[in-house]
Amino acid sequence: MAVLSTPLKTQAFLRNLPLFRELADEEIELVAVGTRELRVKRGDILFQKGDPSRGFHIVVYGQVKLMLITPQGDEKVIEIMGAGQSFGEAIMFMDKPYPVTAEVLVDSMLLHVAKDVVFEEIDRDPVFARRMIAGLSRRLHHLIIDVESYLMRSATQRVIGYLLRPDHEHDESGGQTLVTLPASKSVIASRLNITPEHFSRVLHELTEARLIEVAGRSVSILDMEKLRSFEG
């Protein structure tokens, strides 16, 4: 039976993701048939807490925040998803509604992979199933690290840890490391479970200690080793 063709760029992007990297061309084609391109604008809501899950999303470019709204009406950012990252797999397998809301932070392009296509590939290929499990396990590991950070580390240590994350955009030049914050300071503060005011105070403290310089969303790390060992 002939397989419907899809844009080559979708197939090429899927092929380069760790989850799909070992699939044959015809298998990538089958996944791509069940994949939709979504071009979304800043402020768009991909799904609300309580909506049914029909697959999972992959960020081609842009940023999406996963968040909860507290009973008091405050926003709590759970994660900020960037290029190459996926979200929604666990809920898809549990066949439960989304426990969070996903809001687009900047104009973005996403891929939505349909649940039926994923389940068919899992039934056909145990290696694919193991890769899905590995991806979910990494996500769980990161959540455990986050909880440990909230309970055991000070706000200053959390901010430093965030600045030193290896998955951030870094520019090494002139003996300094330039980190571009992926979102507004209020969003990052919520992600670190501190108030925006506290986040600003920590950045000011690190600036006063001559460890960083801040200009908008750009943070220059002046001394990586001293920042890593700074206790406040």
Side-chain angles (χ1 to χ4, degrees):
M1 183 177 65
V3 177
L4 296 176
S5 63
T6 55
L8 180 62
K9 58 186 176 184
T10 299
Q11 298 174 25
F13 186 82
L14 291 174
R15 186 177 289 109
N16 286 319
L17 291 173
L19 179 61
F20 302 115
R21 196 167 288 156
E22 293 182 6
L23 296 185
D25 287 346
E26 59 271 19
E27 295 167 332
I28 289 287
E29 179 73 13
L30 289 171
V31 174
V33 168
T35 300
R36 292 187 299 125
E37 292 183 8
L38 303 176
R39 297 181 183 272
V40 289
K41 299 291 186 182
R42 177 182 178 182
D44 285 353
I45 300 297
L46 291 175
F47 51 78
Q48 298 269 13
K49 178 182 178 181
D51 288 347
S53 170
R54 297 182 174 87
F56 71 97
H57 293 83
I58 304 167
V59 182
V60 179
Y61 63 78
Q63 291 163 349
V64 176
K65 68 176 176 182
L66 307 181
M67 62 178 179
L68 290 169
I69 303 299
T70 69
Q72 293 75 32
D74 298 324
E75 179 184 296
K76 174 65 181 80
V77 177
I78 305 301
E79 188 57 276
I80 303 170
M81 314 305 298
Q85 293 183 293
S86 61
F87 56 96
E89 303 96 319
I91 298 303
M92 175 185 69
F93 285 116
M94 295 171 66
D95 200 25
K96 290 182 178 293
Y98 287 113
V100 297
T101 294
E103 180 181 341
V104 181
L105 287 175
V106 297
D107 293 354
S108 305
M109 178 179 173
L110 310 176
L111 298 179
H112 181 267
V113 184
K115 175 166 53 175
D116 291 346
V117 170
V118 176
F119 284 10
E120 288 171 6
E121 190 59 31
I122 286 175
D123 289 341
R124 194 199 62 78
D125 184 3
V127 173
F128 181 79
R130 289 197 296 270
R131 294 174 76 83
M132 290 293 296
I133 293 171
L136 293 173
S137 298
R138 284 193 295 271
R139 190 73 48 79
L140 176 61
H141 180 65
H142 290 156
L143 287 173
I144 292 172
I145 291 174
D146 284 346
V147 171
E148 181 183 34
S149 173
Y150 299 155
L151 295 175
M152 307 296 293
R153 302 173 70 188
S154 69
T156 298
Q157 290 170 330
R158 275 178 258 165
V159 173
I160 291 173
Y162 188 80
L163 292 176
L164 295 176
R165 277 176 54 162
D167 57 338
H168 283 159
E169 181 181 336
H170 290 86
D171 179 23
E172 305 280 350
S173 61
Q176 301 178 6
T177 300
L178 180 65
V179 178
T180 302
L181 299 179
S184 68
K185 292 174 184 176
S186 61
V187 169
I188 294 174
S190 178
R191 170 70 179 78
L192 297 176
N193 204 33
I194 58 179
T195 65
E197 294 77 15
H198 199 164
F199 183 62
S200 294
R201 286 199 300 272
V202 172
L203 292 180
H204 180 73
E205 178 185 15
L206 297 176
T207 301
E208 288 291 301
R210 299 182 181 276
L211 297 175
I212 66 171
E213 291 178 351
V214 182
R217 290 191 183 181
S218 297
V219 179
S220 297
I221 299 176
L222 307 180
D223 191 317
M224 186 76 75
E225 292 307 315
K226 285 185 180 179
L227 179 63
R228 187 174 283 115
S229 60
F230 184 73
E231 295 293 339

